């Protein structure tokens, strides 16, 4: 790096760190809130919210579900991180969900929730989300709000441009943020051999129409850039997927400077339909890899983890017509496709305009070979002017993400100038701008990336809150801000704090989800190997050093509740079946001193806590969830004897010590 370059770039880059720029802080928030704002977000006690918003937890690795317009937090759904609140990742049944080719990885960084789509519309069946750090895609079942599948992605590092659904959820797609050598290549290579040895890989994960089951169908090997975000085409552009790339300089150090050299980076357009045809025609190359595929069953209430050993790749440089590049100013982040599928909006973090590309013009440019050079020998770069529909002029500083409403408007976040800009999709004219507090990342309009936006609200997720809430020490909450977008002018209604860092959220009218809710699991259908269907069947079984406790929970006792014959050094597995068959009656289970978390067992479900008693004594256990008036009575004792003790296994419930 030349030092002079560094000096020149500093001002532009410093701008990106919006928080450090006092000049970026807009005027007082209070003045911009209308008197009727409170009424618009007030959801009376006993009434449901109109919208579900699913926010990524960022570095919490989870997803949070909120009600809109109230901003009420409804549930944290554990995905990539263990969750002591309900034993996810701690119970024997859910541990396999967090298995990877690297072993048990109980954390990740989740950025992009993506609702499944049918005919380009959110269908409310599943929510996909990426694990960025140890590349994974998870699927949450929206009938149970549980994570039911996680698939790891081989050959990539940083699953950031992920997961984005094609129009009918034929695939969820993920692309690498950090290009790297393929897993099976000799990857002990010098880091500065980046240009020679590193590659990007786009993963196409096939989604079963009925079950949602995921399968890594194929990966496209693409040039070694950083891939940031993506969106699928829809309607006319159904066959295509668009990805932003930055670091087209192919730097492998100090990217802050070295990946900001060029005036333009690219939007990469992939004809996925054509790639699929090539794969079906047997053009893929099978290569050995290692990745975990974890599936949770609502019948066994258990997850299994399988390590897969193979994937198919297609090197896009060998198949002309698969990939084209559209030049895009400068270090683009978000790429969004208009509801009609005709325009592609890309946001250059360092750009002074928002370019809007035309799908039709892209096809023309391809037909006419309006090229402006090649990448990696034979991947055409299309001429900027040939593919451009127009530019949104002077939008503000640091455009990041765009969503669309139901009335032909687009809304773009400006990270550096801390505002949302509303513009008209057909003539690219700016209609309105609203300050946000502060440094917005993504924004979410219900249905805002679909063919049929619902509109009405935009939820903006801010990175910096500074003076917005009561302070909480050095770390302040991130914030969501709710705007009414039903009129010409955006109206700020509400601020609410969020869990972790919600990079992105997707929002959907509540009725699409409410009608499919599972209220409890049928006990008769419970296929867990350790389930017991009545208290009569409860038992404690010793097999060498292993002890299996088959326990039941119901209001207001755990059966058995007196257990003796446990020994120091045993592996004790407590399998608890919740016998309730009613909505909203989970029971909890916790053991004093267990190096584990609690369990929270749903009605009809079986969960298992593993416990290794390490000292003799009397150890209480109890239900943690206040389930009835006699919840405080829902308790029991283990007696732990020294290893090799003669105390026999004994278990009981209901012997009253007073009458003994
Ligand atoms: Cu935060 Cu989508 Cu990871 Cu933009 S990304 S802000
Ligand atoms: Cu069951 Cu408290």
């Amino acid at each position: 790096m030349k030092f002079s370059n560094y000096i020149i770039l500093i001002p532009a880059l410093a701008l990106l760190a919006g928080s450090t720029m006092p000049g970026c802080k807009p005027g007082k928030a209070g003045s911009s809130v209308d008197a009727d704002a409170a009424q618009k977000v007030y959801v009376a006690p006993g009434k449901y919210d109109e919208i579900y918003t699913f926010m990524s937890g960022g570095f919490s690795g989870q997803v949070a579900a909120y009600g809109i317009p109230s901003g009420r937090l409804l549930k944290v759904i554990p995905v990539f991180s263990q969750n002591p609140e309900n034993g996810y990742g701690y119970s024997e049944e859910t541990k396999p969900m967090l298995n990877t080719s690297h072993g048990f990885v109980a954390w990740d960084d989740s950025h992009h929730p993506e609702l499944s789509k049918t005919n380009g519309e959110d269908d409310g069946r599943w929510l996909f989300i990426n694990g960025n750090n140890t590349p994974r895609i998870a699927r949450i079942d929206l009938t149970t709000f549980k994570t039911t599948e996680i698939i790891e992605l081989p050959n990539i590092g940083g699953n950031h441009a992920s997961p984005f659904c094609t129009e009918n959820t034929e695939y969820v797609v993920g692309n690498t943020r950090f290009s790297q050598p393929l897993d099976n290549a000799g990857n002990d290579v010098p880091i500065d051999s980046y240009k020679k040895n590193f590659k990007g890989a786009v993963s196409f994960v096939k989604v079963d129409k009925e079950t949602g089951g995921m399968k890594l169908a194929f990966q496209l090997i693409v040039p070694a850039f950083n891939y940031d975000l993506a969106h699928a085409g829809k309607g006319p552009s159904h066959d295509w997927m668009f990805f932003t790339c930055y670091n087209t300089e192919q730097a492998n150090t100090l990217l802050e400077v070295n990946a900001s050299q060029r005036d333009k980076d690219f939007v990469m357009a992939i004809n996925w339909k054509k790639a699929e045809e090539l794969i079906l025609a047997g053009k893929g190359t099978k290569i050995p890899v290692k990745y975990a595929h974890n599936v949770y069953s609502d019948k066994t209430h258990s997850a299994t983890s399988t390590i897969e050993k193979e994937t198919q790749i297609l090197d896009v440089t060998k198949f002309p017509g698969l990939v084209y590049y559209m030049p895009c100013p400068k270090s683009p982040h978000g790429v969004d496709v208009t509801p009609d599928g005709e325009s592609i909006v890309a946001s250059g973090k360092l750009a002074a305009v928002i370019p809007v590309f035309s799908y039709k013009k892209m096809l023309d440019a391809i037909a006419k070979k309006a090229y402006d050079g090649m990448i990696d020998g034979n991947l055409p770069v299309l001429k900027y002017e040939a593919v451009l529909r127009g530019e949104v002029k002077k939008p503000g500083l640091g455009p990041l993400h765009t969503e669309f409403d139901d009335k032909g408007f687009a809304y773009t976040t400006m990270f550096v100038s801390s505002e949302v800009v509303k513009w008209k999709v057909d003539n690219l004219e700016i209609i309105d701008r609203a300050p946000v507090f502060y440094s917005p990342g993504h924004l979410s309009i219900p249905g805002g990336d679909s063919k049929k936006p619902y509109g009405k609200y935009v939820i903006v997720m801010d990175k910096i809150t500074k003076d917005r809430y009561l302070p909480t020490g050095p770390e302040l909450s991130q914030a969501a801000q709710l705007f009414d977008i039903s009129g010409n002018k955006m109206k700020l209604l509400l601020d609410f704090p969020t869990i972790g860092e919600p990079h992105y959220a997707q929002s959907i009218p509540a009725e699409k989800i409410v009608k499919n809710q599972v209220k409890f699991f049928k006990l008769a259908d419970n296929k867990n190997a350790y389930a017991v269907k009545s208290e009569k069947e409860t038992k404690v079984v010793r097999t060498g050093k292993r002890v299996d406790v088959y326990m039941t929970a119901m209001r207001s006792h755990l059966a058995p509740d007196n257990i003796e014959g446990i020994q120091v050094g045993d592996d004790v597995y407590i399998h608890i079946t919740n016998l309730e068959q009613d909505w909203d009656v989970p029971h909890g289970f916790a053991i004093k001193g267990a190096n584990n978390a609690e369990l929270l067992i749903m009605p009809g479900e079986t969960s298992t806590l593993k416990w290794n008693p390490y000292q003799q004594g009397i150890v209480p256990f109890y239900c943690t969830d206040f389930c009835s008036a006699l919840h405080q009575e829902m308790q029991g004792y283990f007696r732990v004897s020294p290893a090799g003790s003669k105390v026999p296994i004994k278990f009981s419930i209901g012997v009253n010590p007073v009458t003994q």
Side-chain angles (χ1 to χ4, degrees):
M1 175 198 72
K2 274 196 243 107
F3 190 61
S4 55
N5 283 348
Y6 194 73
I7 301 284
I8 290 162
L9 279 158
I10 286 302
L13 297 166
L15 272 176
L16 272 182
S19 62
T20 62
M21 297 287 292
C24 293
K25 185 174 154 178
K28 269 273 154 244
S31 56
S32 58
V33 178
D34 282 1
D36 64 348
Q39 219 175 355
K40 287 190 173 152
V41 301
Y42 183 69
V43 177
K47 292 277 187 273
Y48 283 172
D49 277 289
E50 179 184 357
I51 305 277
Y52 280 100
T53 287
F54 297 98
M55 288 194 186
S56 68
F59 37 73
S60 85
Q62 316 290 47
V63 165
Y66 292 84
I68 294 295
S70 71
R72 296 182 293 196
L73 174 63
L74 304 172
K75 188 178 174 67
V76 172
I77 306 167
V79 184
F80 298 111
S81 301
Q82 284 176 298
N83 188 22
E85 185 186 337
N86 63 2
Y88 177 85
Y90 291 96
S91 74
E92 292 309 295
E93 284 81 1
T94 54
K95 277 180 188 169
M97 290 301 283
L98 302 179
N99 191 37
T100 73
S101 64
H102 309 274
F104 186 72
V105 179
W107 168 86
D108 217 306
D109 179 19
S110 61
H111 287 220
H112 304 121
E114 173 88 347
L115 289 159
S116 55
K117 296 192 165 49
T118 301
N119 298 324
E121 285 179 51
D122 296 330
D123 59 22
R125 300 175 79 193
W126 307 301
L127 183 79
F128 301 92
I129 185 148
N130 63 328
N132 190 35
N133 181 58
T134 302
R136 287 174 277 182
I137 292 176
R139 181 172 57 89
I140 294 164
D141 183 337
L142 292 176
T143 67
T144 57
F145 282 54
K146 283 187 187 231
T147 303
T148 49
E149 192 171 6
I150 294 181
I151 192 164
E152 192 183 355
L153 302 176
N155 291 324
I156 70 167
N159 176 36
H160 191 266
S162 173
F164 293 94
C165 290
T166 55
E167 191 171 350
N168 277 300
T169 319
E170 294 96 336
Y171 295 96
V172 287
V173 182
N175 197 352
T176 195
R177 172 168 161 205
F178 314 109
S179 284
Q180 59 162 64
L182 296 191
D183 290 349
N184 72 328
N187 39 21
D188 179 14
V189 296
I191 297 169
D192 66 8
S193 71
Y194 184 101
K195 288 183 188 172
K196 177 164 161 247
N197 289 320
F198 290 39
K199 287 287 168 208
V202 194
S203 306
F204 285 81
V205 175
K206 187 96 193 130
V207 178
D208 185 277
K209 261 194 168 39
E210 300 307 316
T211 65
M214 300 190 286
K215 183 175 180 286
L216 178 58
F218 59 93
Q219 293 186 305
L220 300 181
I221 305 306
V222 293
F225 300 148
N226 284 43
Y227 295 90
D228 212 9
L229 282 158
H231 261 104
K234 43 201 174 220
S237 54
H238 170 271
D239 294 356
W240 293 78
M241 222 54 233
F242 304 94
F243 299 83
T244 45
C245 340
Y246 64 107
N247 190 26
T248 55
E249 296 85 351
Q250 301 192 302
N252 56 277
T253 183
L254 195 64
L255 265 62
E256 178 188 18
V257 173
N258 293 333
S260 307
Q261 304 282 329
R262 292 195 170 171
D263 256 1
K264 291 199 175 65
D265 294 281
F266 301 111
V267 168
M268 175 175 75
I270 290 184
N271 188 330
W272 64 263
K273 201 72 195 164
K274 196 160 194 167
E276 182 185 61
E277 282 161 20
L278 289 165
I279 289 290
L280 290 175
K283 304 287 185 203
T285 308
K286 298 206 161 119
I287 59 165
V289 285
K290 235 179 110 182
Y291 65 95
H293 183 199
N294 311 329
V295 181
Y296 183 86
S297 152
D298 279 339
K299 289 286 176 270
T300 60
H301 305 287
S302 307
T304 52
S305 178
T306 311
I307 297 291
E308 303 284 353
K309 302 250 163 57
E310 197 178 71
T311 187
Q312 303 195 61
I313 57 170
L314 268 188
D315 177 347
V316 299
T317 60
K318 305 221 165 81
F319 299 94
L322 273 187
V323 169
Y324 297 89
Y325 289 88
M326 301 194 275
C328 180
K330 169 174 191 175
S331 300
H333 186 56
V335 56
D336 300 280
V337 179
T338 50
D340 62 6
E342 292 284 3
S343 300
I344 300 116
V345 180
S347 297
K349 301 178 295 242
L350 302 175
V353 297
I354 303 172
V356 178
F357 301 101
S358 154
Y359 172 68
K360 225 195 258 123
K361 288 181 84 171
M362 182 189 92
L363 291 188
D364 286 351
I366 291 170
K368 291 194 191 115
K369 296 197 163 47
Y371 296 164
D372 195 3
M374 294 284 178
I375 288 171
D376 281 8
N378 62 352
L379 304 175
V381 177
L382 302 170
K383 285 205 170 98
Y384 182 63
E385 295 72 25
V387 290
L388 190 72
R389 177 158 80 77
E391 292 169 336
V392 181
K393 306 279 188 203
K394 298 209 180 115
L397 295 174
L400 288 190
H401 297 285
T402 300
E403 292 227 327
F404 307 93
D405 71 6
D406 52 331
K407 301 188 182 75
F409 296 102
Y411 301 75
T412 304
T413 46
M414 300 291 155
F415 180 81
V416 178
S417 52
S418 284
E419 58 191 332
V420 176
V421 172
K422 173 180 178 180
W423 50 276
K424 204 150 189 285
V425 173
D426 59 10
N427 63 13
L428 312 184
E429 258 163 39
I430 291 175
I431 306 290
D432 187 25
R433 48 180 76 233
V436 298
F437 307 89
Y438 309 89
S439 305
H442 282 266
L443 75 182
S444 170
I445 293 172
D449 78 335
S450 76
K451 241 175 161 171
K452 268 223 183 100
Y454 176 85
K456 195 159 174 183
Y457 302 107
V458 62
I459 300 133
V460 181
M461 284 143 279
D462 301 317
K463 305 294 188 191
I464 314 280
T465 48
K466 284 184 197 161
D467 49 9
R468 301 298 285 181
Y469 302 117
L470 287 174
T472 49
E475 195 205 358
L476 300 174
S477 171
Q478 277 82 22
Q481 291 192 292
L482 178 71
F483 287 84
D484 177 350
I485 55 167
S486 56
N488 262 338
K489 295 221 108 346
M490 293 176 269
K491 286 186 180 163
L492 179 60
L493 300 177
L494 182 72
D495 280 18
F496 58 97
T498 59
I499 304 275
E501 182 186 354
H503 287 264
Y504 182 41
Q506 287 218 324
S507 311
I508 182 169
E511 78 239 10
K512 290 203 185 185
I513 295 202
V514 171
K515 60 173 196 250
N516 298 325
Q517 289 300 288
V518 169
K519 296 188 170 157
F520 57 87
F521 299 103
K522 282 206 189 99
L523 192 58
D525 296 345
N526 182 331
K527 297 276 185 312
N528 186 292
Y530 298 96
V532 283
K533 308 280 171 87
S534 73
E535 282 177 19
K536 285 199 301 280
E537 298 168 43
T538 59
K539 59 187 174 183
V540 179
V541 180
R542 172 179 288 284
T543 320
K545 285 193 102 36
R546 175 180 173 126
V547 178
D548 288 285
V549 179
Y550 297 72
M551 190 181 276
T552 57
M554 86 182 270
R555 283 163 290 179
S556 297
H557 55 273
L558 293 151
D561 67 359
N562 280 208
I563 298 167
E564 301 195 350
I566 306 287
Q567 296 181 11
V568 170
D570 280 346
D571 289 324
V572 185
Y573 293 85
I574 302 108
H575 316 283
I576 302 160
T577 302
N578 180 345
L579 298 178
E580 309 277 357
Q581 292 288 274
D582 201 356
W583 198 16
D584 198 23
V585 202
H587 292 289
F589 183 76
I591 303 172
K592 178 186 174 185
N595 302 135
N596 208 330
E598 70 152 350
L599 299 176
L600 195 66
I601 312 124
M602 298 306 124
E605 193 180 65
T606 303
S607 290
T608 301
L609 195 74
K610 186 182 177 195
W611 171 49
N612 293 103
Y614 74 99
Q615 63 180 7
Q616 70 181 68
I618 299 298
V619 182
F621 58 84
Y622 72 106
C623 167
T624 51
D625 188 315
F626 208 111
C627 49
S628 75
L630 295 172
H631 153 80
Q632 289 295 86
E633 281 71 12
M634 200 163 172
Q635 64 162 62
Y637 293 104
F638 286 110
R639 173 181 171 190
V640 180
S641 303
S645 149
K646 292 278 170 298
V647 176
I649 290 282
K650 200 175 132 196
F651 56 94
S652 63
I653 181 168
V655 181
N656 188 340
V658 177
T659 60
Q660 256 178 346

